[in-house]
C-alpha cells in the first residue's frame, strides 16, 4: 500500500466518524503511517509500547482506542482531533499475528466551567473566572504541563517588560503547538510591531496576528488586538486566555473556530521539553 495523505483520508473515511478500526496490509510500515499522522495532528501520546499499556491511560487520554484489541495491542499512539481520538500502531489479530492498525474512537470533552452568575441582575459575571482553568477543560487537556517552571526573567528582561500571567501559564501548560491545529501559540512574543505598541503572542493559518496593546505598566490588563491579514487592527476588551476561550466557543465571534469544531483540542508540535 502506498501511503499518502490522500490514502489516510480514504482510510479514515472508511472508519467513519464514530468508533471503528482496521487491520492494514502487512507490507505497510506502521512508522510511515505514524509520521503522516504526526505531520497532520502533531506529536502523539503513546498508549501502548511493546505490549505495555501506559497505566495513566484513561478515557481522557484515549483509552477508548484500545477497546477493539483487548490485550492484543503491541504499540498504539494516539492523537486528539476535535471529537475524535485517532490511533495507529500494531496489534495482534485473531490468529495472533502482529499487524498494522488504524483506529478511531469518540472523544468526550467535559463542558467548560460556567462563569459566575449574578442572579439579581440576571447576567453572567466573568470577573472571577479562571480562564486558564476553563481553557484546559475546554480542550480536554489532561497532559502534564509541557514547559513547567519556565524562567521568564530572561525573556522579560530582553523585551524590557513583564508579560501577562495567563499567557505565561498558557505556554507553561501547553507548550509548543496550536489550538485546534489552527491558532499557533508563540513561545515568546514577537516584536515585529513593537514600535506600534503591539506584541504578538499568537497567529493563525489565515495570517491573522494576535497581539497585545501594551498600554500601561500592568501586563495583566493589556487588551488583545488582532491585526488581520489585510492590516486592519481589531481591538477586544479581553485578556489572553479569555480571548482564546471565546474564539474557540463563540460562533459569532469575528475570528471564531466554533463554526468548524464542536470539540476542541491542543495540537502539540513536539514531546515535552
Amino acid at each position: 500500500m502506498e501511503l499518502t495523505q490522500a490514502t489516510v483520508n480514504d482510510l479514515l473515511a472508511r472508519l467513519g466518524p464514530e468508533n471503528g478500526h482496521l487491520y492494514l496490509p502487512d507490507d505497510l510500515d506502521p512508522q510511515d503511517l505514524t509520521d503522516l499522522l504526526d505531520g497532520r495532528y502533531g506529536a502523539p501520546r503513546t498508549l501502548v509500547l511493546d505490549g505495555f499499556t501506559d497505566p495513566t491511560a484513561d478515557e481522557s487520554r484515549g483509552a477508548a482506542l484500545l477497546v477493539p484489541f483487548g490485550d492484543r495491542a503491541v504499540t498504539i499512539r494516539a492523537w486528539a482531533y476535535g471529537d475524535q481520538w485517532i490511533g495507529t500502531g500494531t496489534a495482534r489479530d485473531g490468529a495472533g499475528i502482529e499487524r498494522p492498525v488504524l483506529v478511531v474512537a469518540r472523544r468526550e470533552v467535559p463542558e467548560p466551567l460556567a462563569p459566575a452568575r449574578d442572579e439579581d441582575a440576571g447576567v453572567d459575571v466573568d470577573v472571577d473566572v479562571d480562564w486558564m482553568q476553563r481553557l484546559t477543560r475546554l480542550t480536554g487537556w489532561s497532559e502534564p504541563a509541557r514547559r513547567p517552571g519556565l524562567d521568564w526573567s530572561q525573556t522579560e528582561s530582553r523585551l524590557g517588560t513583564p508579560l501577562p500571567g495567563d499567557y505565561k501559564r498558557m505556554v507553561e501548560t501547553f507548550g509548543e503547538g496550536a489550538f485546534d491545529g489552527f491558532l499557533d501559540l508563540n513561545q515568546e512574543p514577537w516584536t515585529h510591531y513593537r514600535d506600534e505598541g503591539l506584541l504578538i503572542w499568537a497567529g493563525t493559518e489565515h495570517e491573522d496576528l494576535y497581539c497585545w496593546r501594551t498600554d500601561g505598566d500592568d501586563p495583566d490588563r493589556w487588551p488583545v488586538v488582532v491585526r488581520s491579514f489585510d492590516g486592519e487592527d481589531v481591538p477586544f476588551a479581553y485578556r489572553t486566555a479569555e480571548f482564546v476561550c471565546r474564539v474557540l466557543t463563540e460562533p459569532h465571534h469575528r475570528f471564531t473556530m466554533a463554526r468548524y469544531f464542536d470539540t476542541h483540542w491542543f495540537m502539540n508540535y513536539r514531546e515535552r521539553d
Side-chain angles (χ1 to χ4, degrees), residues 245-270:
C245 286
R246 292 186 182 278
V247 165
L248 294 180
T249 60
E250 294 182 355
H252 301 297
H253 194 289
R254 176 165 174 175
F255 300 97
T256 185
M257 285 183 276
R259 297 174 188 168
Y260 310 108
F261 301 104
D262 295 325
T263 305
H264 305 282
W265 76 103
F266 186 82
M267 174 193 287
N268 294 114
Y269 291 161
R270 60 184 181 182

PDB file of all heavy atoms in Angstrom, residues 245-270:
ATOM      1  N   CYS A 245     -10.533  31.314  24.703  1.00  0.00           N
ATOM      2  CA  CYS A 245     -11.778  30.598  25.022  1.00  0.00           C
ATOM      3  C   CYS A 245     -12.932  31.077  24.153  1.00  0.00           C
ATOM      4  O   CYS A 245     -13.720  30.271  23.640  1.00  0.00           O
ATOM      5  CB  CYS A 245     -12.130  30.777  26.496  1.00  0.00           C
ATOM      6  SG  CYS A 245     -11.111  29.848  27.652  1.00  0.00           S
ATOM      7  N   ARG A 246     -13.038  32.371  23.978  1.00  0.00           N
ATOM      8  CA  ARG A 246     -14.153  32.918  23.204  1.00  0.00           C
ATOM      9  C   ARG A 246     -14.008  32.600  21.716  1.00  0.00           C
ATOM     10  O   ARG A 246     -15.002  32.298  21.035  1.00  0.00           O
ATOM     11  CB  ARG A 246     -14.269  34.412  23.456  1.00  0.00           C
ATOM     12  CG  ARG A 246     -14.705  34.753  24.879  1.00  0.00           C
ATOM     13  CD  ARG A 246     -14.954  36.237  25.065  1.00  0.00           C
ATOM     14  NE  ARG A 246     -15.323  36.564  26.439  1.00  0.00           N
ATOM     15  CZ  ARG A 246     -16.542  36.443  26.945  1.00  0.00           C
ATOM     16  NH1 ARG A 246     -17.530  35.982  26.173  1.00  0.00           N
ATOM     17  NH2 ARG A 246     -16.798  36.772  28.199  1.00  0.00           N
ATOM     18  N   VAL A 247     -12.789  32.643  21.195  1.00  0.00           N
ATOM     19  CA  VAL A 247     -12.573  32.287  19.788  1.00  0.00           C
ATOM     20  C   VAL A 247     -12.966  30.837  19.538  1.00  0.00           C
ATOM     21  O   VAL A 247     -13.544  30.497  18.504  1.00  0.00           O
ATOM     22  CB  VAL A 247     -11.093  32.540  19.392  1.00  0.00           C
ATOM     23  CG1 VAL A 247     -10.755  31.847  18.080  1.00  0.00           C
ATOM     24  CG2 VAL A 247     -10.821  34.031  19.269  1.00  0.00           C
ATOM     25  N   LEU A 248     -12.662  29.967  20.500  1.00  0.00           N
ATOM     26  CA  LEU A 248     -12.969  28.551  20.333  1.00  0.00           C
ATOM     27  C   LEU A 248     -14.463  28.258  20.406  1.00  0.00           C
ATOM     28  O   LEU A 248     -14.949  27.346  19.729  1.00  0.00           O
ATOM     29  CB  LEU A 248     -12.240  27.724  21.391  1.00  0.00           C
ATOM     30  CG  LEU A 248     -10.715  27.679  21.339  1.00  0.00           C
ATOM     31  CD1 LEU A 248     -10.176  26.816  22.465  1.00  0.00           C
ATOM     32  CD2 LEU A 248     -10.222  27.152  19.998  1.00  0.00           C
ATOM     33  N   THR A 249     -15.200  29.023  21.214  1.00  0.00           N
ATOM     34  CA  THR A 249     -16.559  28.601  21.552  1.00  0.00           C
ATOM     35  C   THR A 249     -17.682  29.477  21.015  1.00  0.00           C
ATOM     36  O   THR A 249     -18.820  29.020  20.941  1.00  0.00           O
ATOM     37  CB  THR A 249     -16.730  28.518  23.077  1.00  0.00           C
ATOM     38  OG1 THR A 249     -16.491  29.818  23.660  1.00  0.00           O
ATOM     39  CG2 THR A 249     -15.754  27.523  23.681  1.00  0.00           C
ATOM     40  N   GLU A 250     -17.389  30.729  20.663  1.00  0.00           N
ATOM     41  CA  GLU A 250     -18.474  31.629  20.290  1.00  0.00           C
ATOM     42  C   GLU A 250     -18.635  31.679  18.772  1.00  0.00           C
ATOM     43  O   GLU A 250     -17.774  32.208  18.062  1.00  0.00           O
ATOM     44  CB  GLU A 250     -18.206  33.038  20.841  1.00  0.00           C
ATOM     45  CG  GLU A 250     -18.238  33.077  22.361  1.00  0.00           C
ATOM     46  CD  GLU A 250     -18.019  34.472  22.916  1.00  0.00           C
ATOM     47  OE1 GLU A 250     -17.754  35.410  22.129  1.00  0.00           O
ATOM     48  OE2 GLU A 250     -18.089  34.621  24.161  1.00  0.00           O
ATOM     49  N   PRO A 251     -19.727  31.135  18.241  1.00  0.00           N
ATOM     50  CA  PRO A 251     -19.876  31.035  16.790  1.00  0.00           C
ATOM     51  C   PRO A 251     -19.957  32.368  16.073  1.00  0.00           C
ATOM     52  O   PRO A 251     -19.694  32.439  14.869  1.00  0.00           O
ATOM     53  CB  PRO A 251     -21.168  30.220  16.615  1.00  0.00           C
ATOM     54  CG  PRO A 251     -21.899  30.373  17.906  1.00  0.00           C
ATOM     55  CD  PRO A 251     -20.861  30.520  18.969  1.00  0.00           C
ATOM     56  N   HIS A 252     -20.332  33.426  16.775  1.00  0.00           N
ATOM     57  CA  HIS A 252     -20.471  34.723  16.121  1.00  0.00           C
ATOM     58  C   HIS A 252     -19.271  35.629  16.344  1.00  0.00           C
ATOM     59  O   HIS A 252     -19.279  36.788  15.913  1.00  0.00           O
ATOM     60  CB  HIS A 252     -21.750  35.417  16.602  1.00  0.00           C
ATOM     61  CG  HIS A 252     -22.991  34.620  16.322  1.00  0.00           C
ATOM     62  ND1 HIS A 252     -23.407  34.320  15.033  1.00  0.00           N
ATOM     63  CD2 HIS A 252     -23.877  34.033  17.166  1.00  0.00           C
ATOM     64  CE1 HIS A 252     -24.512  33.602  15.096  1.00  0.00           C
ATOM     65  NE2 HIS A 252     -24.818  33.400  16.367  1.00  0.00           N
ATOM     66  N   HIS A 253     -18.254  35.111  17.009  1.00  0.00           N
ATOM     67  CA  HIS A 253     -17.016  35.872  17.161  1.00  0.00           C
ATOM     68  C   HIS A 253     -16.398  36.085  15.781  1.00  0.00           C
ATOM     69  O   HIS A 253     -16.423  35.196  14.933  1.00  0.00           O
ATOM     70  CB  HIS A 253     -16.046  35.096  18.055  1.00  0.00           C
ATOM     71  CG  HIS A 253     -14.889  35.893  18.553  1.00  0.00           C
ATOM     72  ND1 HIS A 253     -13.862  36.296  17.735  1.00  0.00           N
ATOM     73  CD2 HIS A 253     -14.595  36.352  19.800  1.00  0.00           C
ATOM     74  CE1 HIS A 253     -12.966  36.970  18.450  1.00  0.00           C
ATOM     75  NE2 HIS A 253     -13.393  37.023  19.704  1.00  0.00           N
ATOM     76  N   ARG A 254     -15.841  37.250  15.562  1.00  0.00           N
ATOM     77  CA  ARG A 254     -15.306  37.553  14.232  1.00  0.00           C
ATOM     78  C   ARG A 254     -14.234  36.558  13.804  1.00  0.00           C
ATOM     79  O   ARG A 254     -14.102  36.240  12.620  1.00  0.00           O
ATOM     80  CB  ARG A 254     -14.729  38.972  14.219  1.00  0.00           C
ATOM     81  CG  ARG A 254     -14.063  39.335  12.896  1.00  0.00           C
ATOM     82  CD  ARG A 254     -13.840  40.806  12.756  1.00  0.00           C
ATOM     83  NE  ARG A 254     -13.074  41.117  11.557  1.00  0.00           N
ATOM     84  CZ  ARG A 254     -12.822  42.343  11.132  1.00  0.00           C
ATOM     85  NH1 ARG A 254     -13.283  43.391  11.791  1.00  0.00           N
ATOM     86  NH2 ARG A 254     -12.097  42.542  10.046  1.00  0.00           N
ATOM     87  N   PHE A 255     -13.468  36.042  14.752  1.00  0.00           N
ATOM     88  CA  PHE A 255     -12.378  35.120  14.424  1.00  0.00           C
ATOM     89  C   PHE A 255     -12.665  33.713  14.948  1.00  0.00           C
ATOM     90  O   PHE A 255     -11.749  32.965  15.272  1.00  0.00           O
ATOM     91  CB  PHE A 255     -11.063  35.660  15.001  1.00  0.00           C
ATOM     92  CG  PHE A 255     -10.692  37.012  14.458  1.00  0.00           C
ATOM     93  CD1 PHE A 255     -10.991  38.163  15.160  1.00  0.00           C
ATOM     94  CD2 PHE A 255     -10.077  37.121  13.217  1.00  0.00           C
ATOM     95  CE1 PHE A 255     -10.664  39.421  14.645  1.00  0.00           C
ATOM     96  CE2 PHE A 255      -9.751  38.361  12.695  1.00  0.00           C
ATOM     97  CZ  PHE A 255     -10.044  39.510  13.406  1.00  0.00           C
ATOM     98  N   THR A 256     -13.931  33.338  14.984  1.00  0.00           N
ATOM     99  CA  THR A 256     -14.354  32.090  15.604  1.00  0.00           C
ATOM    100  C   THR A 256     -13.766  30.855  14.932  1.00  0.00           C
ATOM    101  O   THR A 256     -13.514  30.830  13.724  1.00  0.00           O
ATOM    102  CB  THR A 256     -15.887  31.976  15.579  1.00  0.00           C
ATOM    103  OG1 THR A 256     -16.275  30.803  16.307  1.00  0.00           O
ATOM    104  CG2 THR A 256     -16.411  31.853  14.157  1.00  0.00           C
ATOM    105  N   MET A 257     -13.574  29.823  15.763  1.00  0.00           N
ATOM    106  CA  MET A 257     -13.321  28.474  15.266  1.00  0.00           C
ATOM    107  C   MET A 257     -14.487  27.558  15.607  1.00  0.00           C
ATOM    108  O   MET A 257     -14.475  26.382  15.258  1.00  0.00           O
ATOM    109  CB  MET A 257     -12.025  27.940  15.843  1.00  0.00           C
ATOM    110  CG  MET A 257     -10.798  28.569  15.192  1.00  0.00           C
ATOM    111  SD  MET A 257      -9.241  27.902  15.805  1.00  0.00           S
ATOM    112  CE  MET A 257      -9.032  28.894  17.273  1.00  0.00           C
ATOM    113  N   ALA A 258     -15.488  28.090  16.290  1.00  0.00           N
ATOM    114  CA  ALA A 258     -16.639  27.278  16.692  1.00  0.00           C
ATOM    115  C   ALA A 258     -17.459  26.825  15.495  1.00  0.00           C
ATOM    116  O   ALA A 258     -18.230  25.872  15.596  1.00  0.00           O
ATOM    117  CB  ALA A 258     -17.509  28.060  17.669  1.00  0.00           C
ATOM    118  N   ARG A 259     -17.333  27.486  14.374  1.00  0.00           N
ATOM    119  CA  ARG A 259     -18.080  27.059  13.182  1.00  0.00           C
ATOM    120  C   ARG A 259     -17.530  25.762  12.598  1.00  0.00           C
ATOM    121  O   ARG A 259     -18.209  25.077  11.847  1.00  0.00           O
ATOM    122  CB  ARG A 259     -18.001  28.149  12.113  1.00  0.00           C
ATOM    123  CG  ARG A 259     -18.628  29.477  12.502  1.00  0.00           C
ATOM    124  CD  ARG A 259     -18.368  30.514  11.439  1.00  0.00           C
ATOM    125  NE  ARG A 259     -18.789  31.843  11.850  1.00  0.00           N
ATOM    126  CZ  ARG A 259     -18.478  32.958  11.208  1.00  0.00           C
ATOM    127  NH1 ARG A 259     -17.735  32.887  10.111  1.00  0.00           N
ATOM    128  NH2 ARG A 259     -18.889  34.134  11.646  1.00  0.00           N
ATOM    129  N   TYR A 260     -16.293  25.455  12.935  1.00  0.00           N
ATOM    130  CA  TYR A 260     -15.622  24.316  12.317  1.00  0.00           C
ATOM    131  C   TYR A 260     -15.521  23.108  13.243  1.00  0.00           C
ATOM    132  O   TYR A 260     -15.452  21.978  12.777  1.00  0.00           O
ATOM    133  CB  TYR A 260     -14.224  24.736  11.867  1.00  0.00           C
ATOM    134  CG  TYR A 260     -14.230  26.015  11.060  1.00  0.00           C
ATOM    135  CD1 TYR A 260     -13.749  27.200  11.587  1.00  0.00           C
ATOM    136  CD2 TYR A 260     -14.772  26.040   9.776  1.00  0.00           C
ATOM    137  CE1 TYR A 260     -13.778  28.383  10.857  1.00  0.00           C
ATOM    138  CE2 TYR A 260     -14.808  27.217   9.044  1.00  0.00           C
ATOM    139  CZ  TYR A 260     -14.313  28.384   9.593  1.00  0.00           C
ATOM    140  OH  TYR A 260     -14.359  29.549   8.870  1.00  0.00           O
ATOM    141  N   PHE A 261     -15.471  23.347  14.563  1.00  0.00           N
ATOM    142  CA  PHE A 261     -15.297  22.247  15.504  1.00  0.00           C
ATOM    143  C   PHE A 261     -16.226  22.439  16.696  1.00  0.00           C
ATOM    144  O   PHE A 261     -16.303  23.524  17.260  1.00  0.00           O
ATOM    145  CB  PHE A 261     -13.844  22.184  16.007  1.00  0.00           C
ATOM    146  CG  PHE A 261     -12.830  22.002  14.910  1.00  0.00           C
ATOM    147  CD1 PHE A 261     -12.053  23.077  14.498  1.00  0.00           C
ATOM    148  CD2 PHE A 261     -12.669  20.783  14.298  1.00  0.00           C
ATOM    149  CE1 PHE A 261     -11.124  22.923  13.484  1.00  0.00           C
ATOM    150  CE2 PHE A 261     -11.744  20.621  13.294  1.00  0.00           C
ATOM    151  CZ  PHE A 261     -10.971  21.690  12.874  1.00  0.00           C
ATOM    152  N   ASP A 262     -16.906  21.361  17.076  1.00  0.00           N
ATOM    153  CA  ASP A 262     -17.735  21.388  18.272  1.00  0.00           C
ATOM    154  C   ASP A 262     -16.921  21.042  19.517  1.00  0.00           C
ATOM    155  O   ASP A 262     -17.281  21.408  20.627  1.00  0.00           O
ATOM    156  CB  ASP A 262     -18.894  20.395  18.145  1.00  0.00           C
ATOM    157  CG  ASP A 262     -19.863  20.791  17.037  1.00  0.00           C
ATOM    158  OD1 ASP A 262     -20.068  22.001  16.839  1.00  0.00           O
ATOM    159  OD2 ASP A 262     -20.395  19.894  16.378  1.00  0.00           O
ATOM    160  N   THR A 263     -15.842  20.291  19.316  1.00  0.00           N
ATOM    161  CA  THR A 263     -14.977  19.874  20.408  1.00  0.00           C
ATOM    162  C   THR A 263     -13.575  20.366  20.096  1.00  0.00           C
ATOM    163  O   THR A 263     -13.148  20.322  18.949  1.00  0.00           O
ATOM    164  CB  THR A 263     -14.981  18.337  20.547  1.00  0.00           C
ATOM    165  OG1 THR A 263     -16.325  17.886  20.701  1.00  0.00           O
ATOM    166  CG2 THR A 263     -14.165  17.891  21.740  1.00  0.00           C
ATOM    167  N   HIS A 264     -12.856  20.808  21.110  1.00  0.00           N
ATOM    168  CA  HIS A 264     -11.595  21.499  20.864  1.00  0.00           C
ATOM    169  C   HIS A 264     -10.423  20.768  21.514  1.00  0.00           C
ATOM    170  O   HIS A 264     -10.605  19.975  22.437  1.00  0.00           O
ATOM    171  CB  HIS A 264     -11.703  22.941  21.363  1.00  0.00           C
ATOM    172  CG  HIS A 264     -12.882  23.656  20.756  1.00  0.00           C
ATOM    173  ND1 HIS A 264     -12.868  24.150  19.478  1.00  0.00           N
ATOM    174  CD2 HIS A 264     -14.126  23.896  21.246  1.00  0.00           C
ATOM    175  CE1 HIS A 264     -14.040  24.698  19.210  1.00  0.00           C
ATOM    176  NE2 HIS A 264     -14.825  24.543  20.259  1.00  0.00           N
ATOM    177  N   TRP A 265      -9.237  21.057  21.022  1.00  0.00           N
ATOM    178  CA  TRP A 265      -8.046  20.359  21.489  1.00  0.00           C
ATOM    179  C   TRP A 265      -6.828  21.237  21.250  1.00  0.00           C
ATOM    180  O   TRP A 265      -6.920  22.289  20.624  1.00  0.00           O
ATOM    181  CB  TRP A 265      -7.896  19.020  20.774  1.00  0.00           C
ATOM    182  CG  TRP A 265      -7.390  19.119  19.363  1.00  0.00           C
ATOM    183  CD1 TRP A 265      -6.119  18.855  18.927  1.00  0.00           C
ATOM    184  CD2 TRP A 265      -8.130  19.519  18.194  1.00  0.00           C
ATOM    185  NE1 TRP A 265      -6.033  19.070  17.573  1.00  0.00           N
ATOM    186  CE2 TRP A 265      -7.246  19.482  17.101  1.00  0.00           C
ATOM    187  CE3 TRP A 265      -9.449  19.911  17.981  1.00  0.00           C
ATOM    188  CZ2 TRP A 265      -7.643  19.813  15.814  1.00  0.00           C
ATOM    189  CZ3 TRP A 265      -9.838  20.248  16.700  1.00  0.00           C
ATOM    190  CH2 TRP A 265      -8.944  20.190  15.640  1.00  0.00           C
ATOM    191  N   PHE A 266      -5.693  20.778  21.782  1.00  0.00           N
ATOM    192  CA  PHE A 266      -4.429  21.460  21.530  1.00  0.00           C
ATOM    193  C   PHE A 266      -3.502  20.494  20.820  1.00  0.00           C
ATOM    194  O   PHE A 266      -3.246  19.392  21.303  1.00  0.00           O
ATOM    195  CB  PHE A 266      -3.784  21.940  22.837  1.00  0.00           C
ATOM    196  CG  PHE A 266      -2.551  22.780  22.609  1.00  0.00           C
ATOM    197  CD1 PHE A 266      -2.670  24.126  22.316  1.00  0.00           C
ATOM    198  CD2 PHE A 266      -1.288  22.224  22.683  1.00  0.00           C
ATOM    199  CE1 PHE A 266      -1.544  24.913  22.090  1.00  0.00           C
ATOM    200  CE2 PHE A 266      -0.161  22.996  22.469  1.00  0.00           C
ATOM    201  CZ  PHE A 266      -0.279  24.340  22.167  1.00  0.00           C
ATOM    202  N   MET A 267      -3.016  20.893  19.638  1.00  0.00           N
ATOM    203  CA  MET A 267      -2.099  20.077  18.856  1.00  0.00           C
ATOM    204  C   MET A 267      -0.672  20.379  19.301  1.00  0.00           C
ATOM    205  O   MET A 267      -0.193  21.505  19.172  1.00  0.00           O
ATOM    206  CB  MET A 267      -2.230  20.382  17.361  1.00  0.00           C
ATOM    207  CG  MET A 267      -1.186  19.658  16.512  1.00  0.00           C
ATOM    208  SD  MET A 267      -1.093  20.303  14.822  1.00  0.00           S
ATOM    209  CE  MET A 267      -2.622  19.643  14.163  1.00  0.00           C
ATOM    210  N   ASN A 268       0.008  19.367  19.823  1.00  0.00           N
ATOM    211  CA  ASN A 268       1.396  19.532  20.212  1.00  0.00           C
ATOM    212  C   ASN A 268       2.318  19.350  19.010  1.00  0.00           C
ATOM    213  O   ASN A 268       2.113  18.462  18.198  1.00  0.00           O
ATOM    214  CB  ASN A 268       1.782  18.512  21.283  1.00  0.00           C
ATOM    215  CG  ASN A 268       1.044  18.741  22.589  1.00  0.00           C
ATOM    216  OD1 ASN A 268       0.244  17.906  22.985  1.00  0.00           O
ATOM    217  ND2 ASN A 268       1.288  19.853  23.232  1.00  0.00           N
ATOM    218  N   TYR A 269       3.333  20.204  18.935  1.00  0.00           N
ATOM    219  CA  TYR A 269       4.314  20.069  17.853  1.00  0.00           C
ATOM    220  C   TYR A 269       5.483  19.175  18.217  1.00  0.00           C
ATOM    221  O   TYR A 269       6.218  18.743  17.354  1.00  0.00           O
ATOM    222  CB  TYR A 269       4.845  21.448  17.468  1.00  0.00           C
ATOM    223  CG  TYR A 269       3.821  22.330  16.776  1.00  0.00           C
ATOM    224  CD1 TYR A 269       4.002  23.693  16.728  1.00  0.00           C
ATOM    225  CD2 TYR A 269       2.685  21.790  16.185  1.00  0.00           C
ATOM    226  CE1 TYR A 269       3.069  24.520  16.096  1.00  0.00           C
ATOM    227  CE2 TYR A 269       1.744  22.586  15.553  1.00  0.00           C
ATOM    228  CZ  TYR A 269       1.960  23.952  15.522  1.00  0.00           C
ATOM    229  OH  TYR A 269       1.034  24.760  14.904  1.00  0.00           O
ATOM    230  N   ARG A 270       5.683  18.936  19.499  1.00  0.00           N
ATOM    231  CA  ARG A 270       6.773  18.056  19.906  1.00  0.00           C
ATOM    232  C   ARG A 270       6.484  17.544  21.306  1.00  0.00           C
ATOM    233  O   ARG A 270       5.588  18.029  21.992  1.00  0.00           O
ATOM    234  CB  ARG A 270       8.115  18.762  19.871  1.00  0.00           C
ATOM    235  CG  ARG A 270       8.217  19.983  20.794  1.00  0.00           C
ATOM    236  CD  ARG A 270       9.563  20.670  20.624  1.00  0.00           C
ATOM    237  NE  ARG A 270       9.702  21.816  21.489  1.00  0.00           N
ATOM    238  CZ  ARG A 270      10.759  22.592  21.497  1.00  0.00           C
ATOM    239  NH1 ARG A 270      11.755  22.360  20.674  1.00  0.00           N
ATOM    240  NH2 ARG A 270      10.836  23.639  22.323  1.00  0.00           N
TER     241      ARG A 270
END
